[in-house]
Amino acid sequence: GAVVSQHPSWVICKSGTSVKIECRSLDFQATTMFWYRQFPKQSLMLMATSNEGSKATYEQGVEKDKFLINHASLTLSTLTVTSAHPEDSSFYICSAREGGVNTGELFFGEGSRLTVL
Amino acid sequence: ELKVEQNPLFLSMQEGKNYTIYCNYSTTSDRLYWYRQDPGKSLESLFVLLSNGAVKQEGRLMASLDTKARLSTLHITAAVHDLSATYFCAVDGGADSNYQLIWGAGTKLIIKP
């Protein structure tokens, strides 16, 4: 199947700093990528839908100035957690849809665990 | 609004036993997914079910879809310890939700030797 790669897989940072997470589709082009957040023992929570060449669509309650999403190419989307605080600590997972927006299968990155001290 | 409910949320069982996890959803959808998640890891795709009556099997896992009942099942046959994980179902929300996936809460499965 298609491969989606996330980097880094684990990051620890100090409060107030910014952290960038990359999501790459390695063997297909993805016009749409999704960013999820997962708290321990909970399901995935969609944060935003990242569209290549346009602004991301954020879910209600997600601060767009806090979680900056850039989808500059058909194979790369980035999530930047700005001025991170301990409450931003979480497991962040990206996914990309191969094929059409309503037909392609969804593939997930390995996830990035963020710990803010 | 599409809602997805999984049942049970937690399951502990012994090796060799059979069990079924249920996934109910509230409105019509064309696509249902089952994923597996190991602790600290991302999601692994298990099955994609696209039509009413679809049945797919991989090893000791079998998934089925009844679109009329808006129900999918994930059946575990003769469970083994390696199947211990959290299993999620997710339903394609369709055009109304920009084809987002709507997730169940997950079923944590522990299989004891």
Side-chain angles (χ1 to χ4, degrees), chain B residues 11-48:
Chain B
L11 174 61
S12 178
M13 55 192 283
Q14 290 204 307
E15 280 192 323
K17 300 294 186 182
N18 305 329
Y19 205 82
T20 300
I21 299 171
Y22 297 89
C23 178
N24 289 90
Y25 54 101
S26 58
T27 62
T28 303
S29 175
D30 294 333
R31 202 170 295 127
L32 188 141
Y33 302 82
W34 283 98
Y35 292 93
R36 169 182 172 147
Q37 186 178 37
D38 291 298
K41 300 293 179 66
S42 187
L43 279 76
E44 174 191 349
S45 179
L46 295 176
F47 302 107
V48 181

PDB file of all heavy atoms in Angstrom, chain B residues 11-48:
ATOM      1  N   LEU B  11     -12.391  -4.973  26.146  1.00  0.00           N
ATOM      2  CA  LEU B  11     -12.660  -6.402  26.098  1.00  0.00           C
ATOM      3  C   LEU B  11     -11.411  -7.165  26.498  1.00  0.00           C
ATOM      4  O   LEU B  11     -10.353  -6.978  25.902  1.00  0.00           O
ATOM      5  CB  LEU B  11     -13.082  -6.773  24.668  1.00  0.00           C
ATOM      6  CG  LEU B  11     -13.285  -8.228  24.329  1.00  0.00           C
ATOM      7  CD1 LEU B  11     -14.396  -8.827  25.182  1.00  0.00           C
ATOM      8  CD2 LEU B  11     -13.624  -8.370  22.848  1.00  0.00           C
ATOM      9  N   SER B  12     -11.559  -7.999  27.478  1.00  0.00           N
ATOM     10  CA  SER B  12     -10.463  -8.882  27.875  1.00  0.00           C
ATOM     11  C   SER B  12     -10.938 -10.307  27.682  1.00  0.00           C
ATOM     12  O   SER B  12     -12.009 -10.671  28.154  1.00  0.00           O
ATOM     13  CB  SER B  12     -10.077  -8.634  29.341  1.00  0.00           C
ATOM     14  OG  SER B  12      -9.057  -9.525  29.735  1.00  0.00           O
ATOM     15  N   MET B  13     -10.166 -11.086  26.992  1.00  0.00           N
ATOM     16  CA  MET B  13     -10.600 -12.448  26.722  1.00  0.00           C
ATOM     17  C   MET B  13      -9.394 -13.373  26.665  1.00  0.00           C
ATOM     18  O   MET B  13      -8.254 -12.924  26.562  1.00  0.00           O
ATOM     19  CB  MET B  13     -11.368 -12.517  25.401  1.00  0.00           C
ATOM     20  CG  MET B  13     -10.606 -11.973  24.214  1.00  0.00           C
ATOM     21  SD  MET B  13     -11.646 -11.742  22.760  1.00  0.00           S
ATOM     22  CE  MET B  13     -11.802 -13.404  22.167  1.00  0.00           C
ATOM     23  N   GLN B  14      -9.662 -14.642  26.733  1.00  0.00           N
ATOM     24  CA  GLN B  14      -8.574 -15.608  26.715  1.00  0.00           C
ATOM     25  C   GLN B  14      -8.300 -16.070  25.288  1.00  0.00           C
ATOM     26  O   GLN B  14      -9.167 -16.003  24.406  1.00  0.00           O
ATOM     27  CB  GLN B  14      -8.933 -16.796  27.589  1.00  0.00           C
ATOM     28  CG  GLN B  14      -8.942 -16.455  29.077  1.00  0.00           C
ATOM     29  CD  GLN B  14      -8.725 -17.674  29.931  1.00  0.00           C
ATOM     30  OE1 GLN B  14      -9.435 -18.653  29.773  1.00  0.00           O
ATOM     31  NE2 GLN B  14      -7.759 -17.610  30.837  1.00  0.00           N
ATOM     32  N   GLU B  15      -7.117 -16.514  25.093  1.00  0.00           N
ATOM     33  CA  GLU B  15      -6.742 -17.064  23.789  1.00  0.00           C
ATOM     34  C   GLU B  15      -7.671 -18.216  23.425  1.00  0.00           C
ATOM     35  O   GLU B  15      -8.134 -18.961  24.299  1.00  0.00           O
ATOM     36  CB  GLU B  15      -5.294 -17.567  23.813  1.00  0.00           C
ATOM     37  CG  GLU B  15      -4.266 -16.472  23.666  1.00  0.00           C
ATOM     38  CD  GLU B  15      -2.876 -17.008  23.412  1.00  0.00           C
ATOM     39  OE1 GLU B  15      -2.539 -18.052  24.006  1.00  0.00           O
ATOM     40  OE2 GLU B  15      -2.122 -16.392  22.639  1.00  0.00           O
ATOM     41  N   GLY B  16      -7.903 -18.321  22.147  1.00  0.00           N
ATOM     42  CA  GLY B  16      -8.718 -19.422  21.657  1.00  0.00           C
ATOM     43  C   GLY B  16     -10.197 -19.118  21.569  1.00  0.00           C
ATOM     44  O   GLY B  16     -10.956 -19.856  20.926  1.00  0.00           O
ATOM     45  N   LYS B  17     -10.613 -18.034  22.194  1.00  0.00           N
ATOM     46  CA  LYS B  17     -12.038 -17.684  22.193  1.00  0.00           C
ATOM     47  C   LYS B  17     -12.409 -16.838  20.985  1.00  0.00           C
ATOM     48  O   LYS B  17     -11.562 -16.224  20.345  1.00  0.00           O
ATOM     49  CB  LYS B  17     -12.389 -16.924  23.480  1.00  0.00           C
ATOM     50  CG  LYS B  17     -12.134 -17.695  24.749  1.00  0.00           C
ATOM     51  CD  LYS B  17     -13.046 -18.895  24.866  1.00  0.00           C
ATOM     52  CE  LYS B  17     -12.866 -19.577  26.215  1.00  0.00           C
ATOM     53  NZ  LYS B  17     -13.720 -20.785  26.335  1.00  0.00           N
ATOM     54  N   ASN B  18     -13.706 -16.792  20.718  1.00  0.00           N
ATOM     55  CA  ASN B  18     -14.234 -15.955  19.635  1.00  0.00           C
ATOM     56  C   ASN B  18     -14.972 -14.762  20.237  1.00  0.00           C
ATOM     57  O   ASN B  18     -15.543 -14.857  21.334  1.00  0.00           O
ATOM     58  CB  ASN B  18     -15.216 -16.747  18.770  1.00  0.00           C
ATOM     59  CG  ASN B  18     -14.620 -18.025  18.231  1.00  0.00           C
ATOM     60  OD1 ASN B  18     -13.413 -18.090  17.982  1.00  0.00           O
ATOM     61  ND2 ASN B  18     -15.439 -19.035  18.067  1.00  0.00           N
ATOM     62  N   TYR B  19     -14.967 -13.657  19.500  1.00  0.00           N
ATOM     63  CA  TYR B  19     -15.760 -12.508  19.952  1.00  0.00           C
ATOM     64  C   TYR B  19     -16.006 -11.577  18.780  1.00  0.00           C
ATOM     65  O   TYR B  19     -15.292 -11.622  17.787  1.00  0.00           O
ATOM     66  CB  TYR B  19     -15.042 -11.743  21.079  1.00  0.00           C
ATOM     67  CG  TYR B  19     -16.003 -10.986  21.959  1.00  0.00           C
ATOM     68  CD1 TYR B  19     -16.683 -11.638  22.978  1.00  0.00           C
ATOM     69  CD2 TYR B  19     -16.249  -9.641  21.746  1.00  0.00           C
ATOM     70  CE1 TYR B  19     -17.582 -10.960  23.772  1.00  0.00           C
ATOM     71  CE2 TYR B  19     -17.151  -8.960  22.531  1.00  0.00           C
ATOM     72  CZ  TYR B  19     -17.816  -9.621  23.550  1.00  0.00           C
ATOM     73  OH  TYR B  19     -18.700  -8.945  24.323  1.00  0.00           O
ATOM     74  N   THR B  20     -17.032 -10.738  18.932  1.00  0.00           N
ATOM     75  CA  THR B  20     -17.393  -9.793  17.873  1.00  0.00           C
ATOM     76  C   THR B  20     -17.447  -8.383  18.434  1.00  0.00           C
ATOM     77  O   THR B  20     -18.027  -8.157  19.500  1.00  0.00           O
ATOM     78  CB  THR B  20     -18.750 -10.149  17.251  1.00  0.00           C
ATOM     79  OG1 THR B  20     -18.688 -11.460  16.694  1.00  0.00           O
ATOM     80  CG2 THR B  20     -19.112  -9.157  16.162  1.00  0.00           C
ATOM     81  N   ILE B  21     -16.840  -7.467  17.708  1.00  0.00           N
ATOM     82  CA  ILE B  21     -16.914  -6.038  18.022  1.00  0.00           C
ATOM     83  C   ILE B  21     -17.915  -5.410  17.056  1.00  0.00           C
ATOM     84  O   ILE B  21     -17.897  -5.714  15.853  1.00  0.00           O
ATOM     85  CB  ILE B  21     -15.535  -5.371  17.869  1.00  0.00           C
ATOM     86  CG1 ILE B  21     -14.529  -6.012  18.838  1.00  0.00           C
ATOM     87  CG2 ILE B  21     -15.625  -3.875  18.119  1.00  0.00           C
ATOM     88  CD1 ILE B  21     -13.105  -5.569  18.591  1.00  0.00           C
ATOM     89  N   TYR B  22     -18.747  -4.536  17.572  1.00  0.00           N
ATOM     90  CA  TYR B  22     -19.804  -3.944  16.770  1.00  0.00           C
ATOM     91  C   TYR B  22     -19.549  -2.457  16.530  1.00  0.00           C
ATOM     92  O   TYR B  22     -19.049  -1.749  17.400  1.00  0.00           O
ATOM     93  CB  TYR B  22     -21.159  -4.112  17.463  1.00  0.00           C
ATOM     94  CG  TYR B  22     -21.564  -5.556  17.625  1.00  0.00           C
ATOM     95  CD1 TYR B  22     -21.181  -6.269  18.753  1.00  0.00           C
ATOM     96  CD2 TYR B  22     -22.307  -6.201  16.639  1.00  0.00           C
ATOM     97  CE1 TYR B  22     -21.541  -7.605  18.901  1.00  0.00           C
ATOM     98  CE2 TYR B  22     -22.660  -7.529  16.780  1.00  0.00           C
ATOM     99  CZ  TYR B  22     -22.280  -8.229  17.916  1.00  0.00           C
ATOM    100  OH  TYR B  22     -22.622  -9.546  18.054  1.00  0.00           O
ATOM    101  N   CYS B  23     -19.954  -2.017  15.359  1.00  0.00           N
ATOM    102  CA  CYS B  23     -19.819  -0.610  14.983  1.00  0.00           C
ATOM    103  C   CYS B  23     -21.129  -0.157  14.352  1.00  0.00           C
ATOM    104  O   CYS B  23     -21.476  -0.589  13.244  1.00  0.00           O
ATOM    105  CB  CYS B  23     -18.651  -0.439  14.010  1.00  0.00           C
ATOM    106  SG  CYS B  23     -18.409   1.246  13.421  1.00  0.00           S
ATOM    107  N   ASN B  24     -21.843   0.690  15.056  1.00  0.00           N
ATOM    108  CA  ASN B  24     -23.095   1.244  14.544  1.00  0.00           C
ATOM    109  C   ASN B  24     -22.879   2.680  14.115  1.00  0.00           C
ATOM    110  O   ASN B  24     -22.149   3.425  14.759  1.00  0.00           O
ATOM    111  CB  ASN B  24     -24.177   1.227  15.645  1.00  0.00           C
ATOM    112  CG  ASN B  24     -24.665  -0.154  15.955  1.00  0.00           C
ATOM    113  OD1 ASN B  24     -24.118  -0.824  16.812  1.00  0.00           O
ATOM    114  ND2 ASN B  24     -25.679  -0.590  15.246  1.00  0.00           N
ATOM    115  N   TYR B  25     -23.540   3.073  13.040  1.00  0.00           N
ATOM    116  CA  TYR B  25     -23.447   4.461  12.616  1.00  0.00           C
ATOM    117  C   TYR B  25     -24.836   4.989  12.289  1.00  0.00           C
ATOM    118  O   TYR B  25     -25.747   4.230  11.961  1.00  0.00           O
ATOM    119  CB  TYR B  25     -22.476   4.632  11.442  1.00  0.00           C
ATOM    120  CG  TYR B  25     -22.733   3.762  10.247  1.00  0.00           C
ATOM    121  CD1 TYR B  25     -23.375   4.253   9.122  1.00  0.00           C
ATOM    122  CD2 TYR B  25     -22.294   2.439  10.231  1.00  0.00           C
ATOM    123  CE1 TYR B  25     -23.593   3.456   8.017  1.00  0.00           C
ATOM    124  CE2 TYR B  25     -22.516   1.636   9.123  1.00  0.00           C
ATOM    125  CZ  TYR B  25     -23.165   2.142   8.035  1.00  0.00           C
ATOM    126  OH  TYR B  25     -23.384   1.346   6.933  1.00  0.00           O
ATOM    127  N   SER B  26     -24.972   6.304  12.370  1.00  0.00           N
ATOM    128  CA  SER B  26     -26.323   6.868  12.421  1.00  0.00           C
ATOM    129  C   SER B  26     -26.929   7.272  11.081  1.00  0.00           C
ATOM    130  O   SER B  26     -28.146   7.364  10.965  1.00  0.00           O
ATOM    131  CB  SER B  26     -26.334   8.088  13.355  1.00  0.00           C
ATOM    132  OG  SER B  26     -25.400   9.051  12.890  1.00  0.00           O
ATOM    133  N   THR B  27     -26.092   7.566  10.079  1.00  0.00           N
ATOM    134  CA  THR B  27     -26.662   7.951   8.790  1.00  0.00           C
ATOM    135  C   THR B  27     -25.975   7.194   7.660  1.00  0.00           C
ATOM    136  O   THR B  27     -24.954   6.566   7.870  1.00  0.00           O
ATOM    137  CB  THR B  27     -26.530   9.463   8.535  1.00  0.00           C
ATOM    138  OG1 THR B  27     -25.148   9.806   8.502  1.00  0.00           O
ATOM    139  CG2 THR B  27     -27.223  10.266   9.614  1.00  0.00           C
ATOM    140  N   THR B  28     -26.524   7.279   6.492  1.00  0.00           N
ATOM    141  CA  THR B  28     -26.016   6.530   5.347  1.00  0.00           C
ATOM    142  C   THR B  28     -24.569   6.886   5.038  1.00  0.00           C
ATOM    143  O   THR B  28     -24.182   8.051   5.089  1.00  0.00           O
ATOM    144  CB  THR B  28     -26.889   6.821   4.115  1.00  0.00           C
ATOM    145  OG1 THR B  28     -28.240   6.492   4.437  1.00  0.00           O
ATOM    146  CG2 THR B  28     -26.436   5.992   2.928  1.00  0.00           C
ATOM    147  N   SER B  29     -23.790   5.893   4.729  1.00  0.00           N
ATOM    148  CA  SER B  29     -22.406   6.124   4.324  1.00  0.00           C
ATOM    149  C   SER B  29     -22.002   5.080   3.294  1.00  0.00           C
ATOM    150  O   SER B  29     -22.508   3.962   3.297  1.00  0.00           O
ATOM    151  CB  SER B  29     -21.469   6.049   5.525  1.00  0.00           C
ATOM    152  OG  SER B  29     -20.125   6.163   5.104  1.00  0.00           O
ATOM    153  N   ASP B  30     -21.058   5.458   2.424  1.00  0.00           N
ATOM    154  CA  ASP B  30     -20.620   4.550   1.365  1.00  0.00           C
ATOM    155  C   ASP B  30     -19.418   3.710   1.743  1.00  0.00           C
ATOM    156  O   ASP B  30     -19.055   2.786   1.018  1.00  0.00           O
ATOM    157  CB  ASP B  30     -20.236   5.364   0.118  1.00  0.00           C
ATOM    158  CG  ASP B  30     -21.433   6.062  -0.489  1.00  0.00           C
ATOM    159  OD1 ASP B  30     -22.552   5.545  -0.314  1.00  0.00           O
ATOM    160  OD2 ASP B  30     -21.242   7.109  -1.121  1.00  0.00           O
ATOM    161  N   ARG B  31     -18.801   4.058   2.869  1.00  0.00           N
ATOM    162  CA  ARG B  31     -17.503   3.430   3.124  1.00  0.00           C
ATOM    163  C   ARG B  31     -17.264   3.314   4.609  1.00  0.00           C
ATOM    164  O   ARG B  31     -17.477   4.270   5.350  1.00  0.00           O
ATOM    165  CB  ARG B  31     -16.414   4.288   2.475  1.00  0.00           C
ATOM    166  CG  ARG B  31     -15.130   3.577   2.185  1.00  0.00           C
ATOM    167  CD  ARG B  31     -14.236   4.474   1.327  1.00  0.00           C
ATOM    168  NE  ARG B  31     -14.807   4.721   0.022  1.00  0.00           N
ATOM    169  CZ  ARG B  31     -15.001   5.926  -0.504  1.00  0.00           C
ATOM    170  NH1 ARG B  31     -14.697   6.990   0.174  1.00  0.00           N
ATOM    171  NH2 ARG B  31     -15.515   6.063  -1.698  1.00  0.00           N
ATOM    172  N   LEU B  32     -16.778   2.155   5.024  1.00  0.00           N
ATOM    173  CA  LEU B  32     -16.472   1.949   6.437  1.00  0.00           C
ATOM    174  C   LEU B  32     -15.105   1.297   6.547  1.00  0.00           C
ATOM    175  O   LEU B  32     -14.770   0.396   5.772  1.00  0.00           O
ATOM    176  CB  LEU B  32     -17.543   1.073   7.094  1.00  0.00           C
ATOM    177  CG  LEU B  32     -17.446   0.931   8.621  1.00  0.00           C
ATOM    178  CD1 LEU B  32     -18.815   0.954   9.254  1.00  0.00           C
ATOM    179  CD2 LEU B  32     -16.662  -0.305   9.014  1.00  0.00           C
ATOM    180  N   TYR B  33     -14.352   1.761   7.512  1.00  0.00           N
ATOM    181  CA  TYR B  33     -12.982   1.296   7.694  1.00  0.00           C
ATOM    182  C   TYR B  33     -12.810   0.677   9.078  1.00  0.00           C
ATOM    183  O   TYR B  33     -13.426   1.117  10.052  1.00  0.00           O
ATOM    184  CB  TYR B  33     -11.998   2.473   7.599  1.00  0.00           C
ATOM    185  CG  TYR B  33     -12.042   3.253   6.316  1.00  0.00           C
ATOM    186  CD1 TYR B  33     -12.995   4.246   6.101  1.00  0.00           C
ATOM    187  CD2 TYR B  33     -11.100   3.025   5.313  1.00  0.00           C
ATOM    188  CE1 TYR B  33     -13.015   4.974   4.935  1.00  0.00           C
ATOM    189  CE2 TYR B  33     -11.110   3.765   4.140  1.00  0.00           C
ATOM    190  CZ  TYR B  33     -12.075   4.730   3.961  1.00  0.00           C
ATOM    191  OH  TYR B  33     -12.085   5.460   2.797  1.00  0.00           O
ATOM    192  N   TRP B  34     -11.933  -0.296   9.137  1.00  0.00           N
ATOM    193  CA  TRP B  34     -11.472  -0.832  10.416  1.00  0.00           C
ATOM    194  C   TRP B  34      -9.958  -0.645  10.486  1.00  0.00           C
ATOM    195  O   TRP B  34      -9.226  -0.966   9.533  1.00  0.00           O
ATOM    196  CB  TRP B  34     -11.807  -2.313  10.563  1.00  0.00           C
ATOM    197  CG  TRP B  34     -13.246  -2.576  10.903  1.00  0.00           C
ATOM    198  CD1 TRP B  34     -14.247  -2.911  10.055  1.00  0.00           C
ATOM    199  CD2 TRP B  34     -13.833  -2.526  12.212  1.00  0.00           C
ATOM    200  NE1 TRP B  34     -15.428  -3.067  10.734  1.00  0.00           N
ATOM    201  CE2 TRP B  34     -15.206  -2.844  12.064  1.00  0.00           C
ATOM    202  CE3 TRP B  34     -13.344  -2.257  13.489  1.00  0.00           C
ATOM    203  CZ2 TRP B  34     -16.090  -2.882  13.141  1.00  0.00           C
ATOM    204  CZ3 TRP B  34     -14.228  -2.293  14.557  1.00  0.00           C
ATOM    205  CH2 TRP B  34     -15.584  -2.612  14.384  1.00  0.00           C
ATOM    206  N   TYR B  35      -9.508  -0.140  11.659  1.00  0.00           N
ATOM    207  CA  TYR B  35      -8.091   0.086  11.880  1.00  0.00           C
ATOM    208  C   TYR B  35      -7.672  -0.580  13.181  1.00  0.00           C
ATOM    209  O   TYR B  35      -8.458  -0.736  14.116  1.00  0.00           O
ATOM    210  CB  TYR B  35      -7.771   1.581  11.988  1.00  0.00           C
ATOM    211  CG  TYR B  35      -7.953   2.352  10.714  1.00  0.00           C
ATOM    212  CD1 TYR B  35      -9.152   2.999  10.428  1.00  0.00           C
ATOM    213  CD2 TYR B  35      -6.918   2.445   9.794  1.00  0.00           C
ATOM    214  CE1 TYR B  35      -9.312   3.710   9.253  1.00  0.00           C
ATOM    215  CE2 TYR B  35      -7.071   3.164   8.616  1.00  0.00           C
ATOM    216  CZ  TYR B  35      -8.261   3.790   8.354  1.00  0.00           C
ATOM    217  OH  TYR B  35      -8.421   4.501   7.196  1.00  0.00           O
ATOM    218  N   ARG B  36      -6.387  -0.884  13.221  1.00  0.00           N
ATOM    219  CA  ARG B  36      -5.780  -1.405  14.448  1.00  0.00           C
ATOM    220  C   ARG B  36      -4.731  -0.411  14.916  1.00  0.00           C
ATOM    221  O   ARG B  36      -3.989   0.160  14.110  1.00  0.00           O
ATOM    222  CB  ARG B  36      -5.112  -2.757  14.163  1.00  0.00           C
ATOM    223  CG  ARG B  36      -4.229  -3.252  15.296  1.00  0.00           C
ATOM    224  CD  ARG B  36      -3.538  -4.548  14.992  1.00  0.00           C
ATOM    225  NE  ARG B  36      -2.577  -4.882  16.030  1.00  0.00           N
ATOM    226  CZ  ARG B  36      -2.280  -6.122  16.412  1.00  0.00           C
ATOM    227  NH1 ARG B  36      -2.842  -7.157  15.818  1.00  0.00           N
ATOM    228  NH2 ARG B  36      -1.389  -6.325  17.365  1.00  0.00           N
ATOM    229  N   GLN B  37      -4.673  -0.213  16.246  1.00  0.00           N
ATOM    230  CA  GLN B  37      -3.639   0.650  16.801  1.00  0.00           C
ATOM    231  C   GLN B  37      -2.975  -0.052  17.975  1.00  0.00           C
ATOM    232  O   GLN B  37      -3.638  -0.423  18.945  1.00  0.00           O
ATOM    233  CB  GLN B  37      -4.204   1.998  17.254  1.00  0.00           C
ATOM    234  CG  GLN B  37      -3.126   2.968  17.710  1.00  0.00           C
ATOM    235  CD  GLN B  37      -3.677   4.317  18.111  1.00  0.00           C
ATOM    236  OE1 GLN B  37      -4.755   4.419  18.689  1.00  0.00           O
ATOM    237  NE2 GLN B  37      -2.934   5.379  17.815  1.00  0.00           N
ATOM    238  N   ASP B  38      -1.660  -0.221  17.887  1.00  0.00           N
ATOM    239  CA  ASP B  38      -0.878  -0.754  19.000  1.00  0.00           C
ATOM    240  C   ASP B  38      -0.437   0.414  19.879  1.00  0.00           C
ATOM    241  O   ASP B  38      -0.308   1.545  19.390  1.00  0.00           O
ATOM    242  CB  ASP B  38       0.324  -1.535  18.475  1.00  0.00           C
ATOM    243  CG  ASP B  38      -0.117  -2.822  17.795  1.00  0.00           C
ATOM    244  OD1 ASP B  38      -0.714  -3.649  18.488  1.00  0.00           O
ATOM    245  OD2 ASP B  38       0.121  -2.981  16.585  1.00  0.00           O
ATOM    246  N   PRO B  39      -0.167   0.163  21.153  1.00  0.00           N
ATOM    247  CA  PRO B  39       0.205   1.253  22.075  1.00  0.00           C
ATOM    248  C   PRO B  39       1.379   2.070  21.547  1.00  0.00           C
ATOM    249  O   PRO B  39       2.404   1.528  21.144  1.00  0.00           O
ATOM    250  CB  PRO B  39       0.565   0.510  23.356  1.00  0.00           C
ATOM    251  CG  PRO B  39      -0.237  -0.743  23.298  1.00  0.00           C
ATOM    252  CD  PRO B  39      -0.253  -1.136  21.847  1.00  0.00           C
ATOM    253  N   GLY B  40       1.205   3.366  21.550  1.00  0.00           N
ATOM    254  CA  GLY B  40       2.276   4.251  21.128  1.00  0.00           C
ATOM    255  C   GLY B  40       2.510   4.294  19.629  1.00  0.00           C
ATOM    256  O   GLY B  40       3.442   4.962  19.171  1.00  0.00           O
ATOM    257  N   LYS B  41       1.685   3.612  18.892  1.00  0.00           N
ATOM    258  CA  LYS B  41       1.876   3.570  17.437  1.00  0.00           C
ATOM    259  C   LYS B  41       0.698   4.217  16.715  1.00  0.00           C
ATOM    260  O   LYS B  41      -0.326   4.533  17.310  1.00  0.00           O
ATOM    261  CB  LYS B  41       1.993   2.103  16.978  1.00  0.00           C
ATOM    262  CG  LYS B  41       3.159   1.350  17.597  1.00  0.00           C
ATOM    263  CD  LYS B  41       4.486   1.890  17.119  1.00  0.00           C
ATOM    264  CE  LYS B  41       5.672   1.169  17.735  1.00  0.00           C
ATOM    265  NZ  LYS B  41       5.766  -0.236  17.327  1.00  0.00           N
ATOM    266  N   SER B  42       0.893   4.389  15.424  1.00  0.00           N
ATOM    267  CA  SER B  42      -0.164   4.956  14.603  1.00  0.00           C
ATOM    268  C   SER B  42      -1.144   3.851  14.184  1.00  0.00           C
ATOM    269  O   SER B  42      -1.115   2.750  14.708  1.00  0.00           O
ATOM    270  CB  SER B  42       0.440   5.640  13.385  1.00  0.00           C
ATOM    271  OG  SER B  42      -0.566   6.321  12.671  1.00  0.00           O
ATOM    272  N   LEU B  43      -1.979   4.180  13.232  1.00  0.00           N
ATOM    273  CA  LEU B  43      -3.034   3.261  12.836  1.00  0.00           C
ATOM    274  C   LEU B  43      -2.617   2.387  11.667  1.00  0.00           C
ATOM    275  O   LEU B  43      -1.951   2.838  10.744  1.00  0.00           O
ATOM    276  CB  LEU B  43      -4.287   4.037  12.451  1.00  0.00           C
ATOM    277  CG  LEU B  43      -5.150   4.494  13.619  1.00  0.00           C
ATOM    278  CD1 LEU B  43      -4.541   5.680  14.303  1.00  0.00           C
ATOM    279  CD2 LEU B  43      -6.552   4.792  13.166  1.00  0.00           C
ATOM    280  N   GLU B  44      -3.044   1.156  11.723  1.00  0.00           N
ATOM    281  CA  GLU B  44      -2.806   0.206  10.649  1.00  0.00           C
ATOM    282  C   GLU B  44      -4.152  -0.146  10.037  1.00  0.00           C
ATOM    283  O   GLU B  44      -5.081  -0.560  10.734  1.00  0.00           O
ATOM    284  CB  GLU B  44      -2.141  -1.048  11.196  1.00  0.00           C
ATOM    285  CG  GLU B  44      -1.973  -2.166  10.188  1.00  0.00           C
ATOM    286  CD  GLU B  44      -1.554  -3.471  10.845  1.00  0.00           C
ATOM    287  OE1 GLU B  44      -1.191  -3.450  12.031  1.00  0.00           O
ATOM    288  OE2 GLU B  44      -1.615  -4.511  10.167  1.00  0.00           O
ATOM    289  N   SER B  45      -4.260   0.020   8.722  1.00  0.00           N
ATOM    290  CA  SER B  45      -5.504  -0.283   8.045  1.00  0.00           C
ATOM    291  C   SER B  45      -5.739  -1.788   8.006  1.00  0.00           C
ATOM    292  O   SER B  45      -4.855  -2.559   7.639  1.00  0.00           O
ATOM    293  CB  SER B  45      -5.471   0.266   6.618  1.00  0.00           C
ATOM    294  OG  SER B  45      -6.664  -0.053   5.943  1.00  0.00           O
ATOM    295  N   LEU B  46      -6.928  -2.197   8.410  1.00  0.00           N
ATOM    296  CA  LEU B  46      -7.296  -3.619   8.372  1.00  0.00           C
ATOM    297  C   LEU B  46      -8.224  -3.908   7.198  1.00  0.00           C
ATOM    298  O   LEU B  46      -7.956  -4.782   6.383  1.00  0.00           O
ATOM    299  CB  LEU B  46      -7.975  -4.025   9.674  1.00  0.00           C
ATOM    300  CG  LEU B  46      -7.139  -3.970  10.950  1.00  0.00           C
ATOM    301  CD1 LEU B  46      -8.000  -4.314  12.157  1.00  0.00           C
ATOM    302  CD2 LEU B  46      -5.950  -4.901  10.859  1.00  0.00           C
ATOM    303  N   PHE B  47      -9.343  -3.204   7.164  1.00  0.00           N
ATOM    304  CA  PHE B  47     -10.340  -3.487   6.139  1.00  0.00           C
ATOM    305  C   PHE B  47     -10.990  -2.187   5.666  1.00  0.00           C
ATOM    306  O   PHE B  47     -11.160  -1.253   6.435  1.00  0.00           O
ATOM    307  CB  PHE B  47     -11.454  -4.396   6.687  1.00  0.00           C
ATOM    308  CG  PHE B  47     -10.973  -5.722   7.218  1.00  0.00           C
ATOM    309  CD1 PHE B  47     -10.938  -5.962   8.580  1.00  0.00           C
ATOM    310  CD2 PHE B  47     -10.569  -6.727   6.349  1.00  0.00           C
ATOM    311  CE1 PHE B  47     -10.504  -7.172   9.078  1.00  0.00           C
ATOM    312  CE2 PHE B  47     -10.123  -7.945   6.830  1.00  0.00           C
ATOM    313  CZ  PHE B  47     -10.097  -8.166   8.203  1.00  0.00           C
ATOM    314  N   VAL B  48     -11.368  -2.199   4.390  1.00  0.00           N
ATOM    315  CA  VAL B  48     -12.209  -1.152   3.836  1.00  0.00           C
ATOM    316  C   VAL B  48     -13.439  -1.852   3.278  1.00  0.00           C
ATOM    317  O   VAL B  48     -13.324  -2.738   2.424  1.00  0.00           O
ATOM    318  CB  VAL B  48     -11.500  -0.373   2.707  1.00  0.00           C
ATOM    319  CG1 VAL B  48     -12.408   0.726   2.183  1.00  0.00           C
ATOM    320  CG2 VAL B  48     -10.188   0.199   3.194  1.00  0.00           C
TER     321      VAL B  48
END
